[in-house]
Amino acid sequence: MHLAYPAVLAALLFCTGLYGVLARRNAILVLMSVELMLNAVNLNLVAFDVWLRDTLHAGQALTLFVIAVAAAEIGIGLAIVLMVYRDRGTSDVDRLRDSVESAATDDAAAESVAAEAQAEAEAEAAARAKAPAKKAEATA
């Protein structure tokens, strides 16, 4: 078997996965596209392992490692997506990014208002502390 056949198939799988990551808005479809990309890499690893006739079968061993990592990644990723869906009601990646950015600007604005209020309170407390000292000096 020629190396070109699995390499071309892997390239097509990888390009399909890359398109899915860049074009999709649903987080679950993005995760599926990442899995397609990982499977393209696995196909290349096995094809080159067979082509090189490696006695240790390092490509196949690395493929098993990639499969294990991908299984853990999809489990954790799916759990995160489900929790975000429960909290926000959507798994649209664009809406999630916009809500995070708006929340960050809202948090920054709230922090600046709180800092200004704290500075005013400290200034008033300092003025109150100086006022009795001035009265004591005036009466003495």
Side-chain angles (χ1 to χ4, degrees):
M1 179 173 78
H2 295 287
L3 183 61
Y5 298 132
V8 168
L9 179 62
L12 290 173
L13 275 175
F14 192 85
C15 289
T16 304
L18 185 63
Y19 173 75
V21 167
L22 296 176
R24 298 293 178 192
R25 293 186 177 163
N26 190 346
I28 294 175
L29 293 178
V30 170
L31 288 174
M32 288 174 60
S33 298
V34 169
E35 290 296 320
L36 270 177
M37 293 167 64
L38 288 173
N39 285 329
V41 170
N42 287 339
L43 182 61
N44 268 334
L45 285 171
V46 171
F48 277 97
D49 183 57
V50 169
W51 184 65
L52 293 173
R53 300 180 198 274
D54 186 17
T55 56
L56 294 176
H57 298 292
Q60 293 178 19
L62 191 57
T63 298
L64 290 175
F65 180 71
V66 170
I67 289 172
V69 169
E73 174 258 335
I74 198 68
I76 292 172
L78 190 59
I80 290 171
V81 168
L82 288 175
M83 289 302 296
V84 167
Y85 182 77
R86 282 185 188 172
D87 287 344
R88 308 237 173 129
T90 184
S91 63
D92 188 1
V93 177
D94 291 334
R95 288 186 187 168
L96 296 176
R97 185 181 60 227
D98 293 340
S99 65
V100 168
E101 289 173 357
S102 66
T105 56
D106 291 345
D107 290 342
E111 287 177 8
S112 65
V113 168
E116 289 175 7
Q118 183 179 3
E120 289 177 9
E122 289 174 359
E124 288 178 16
R128 278 189 240 138
K130 289 180 182 177
K134 288 181 182 179
K135 287 182 183 178
E137 288 177 5
T139 56

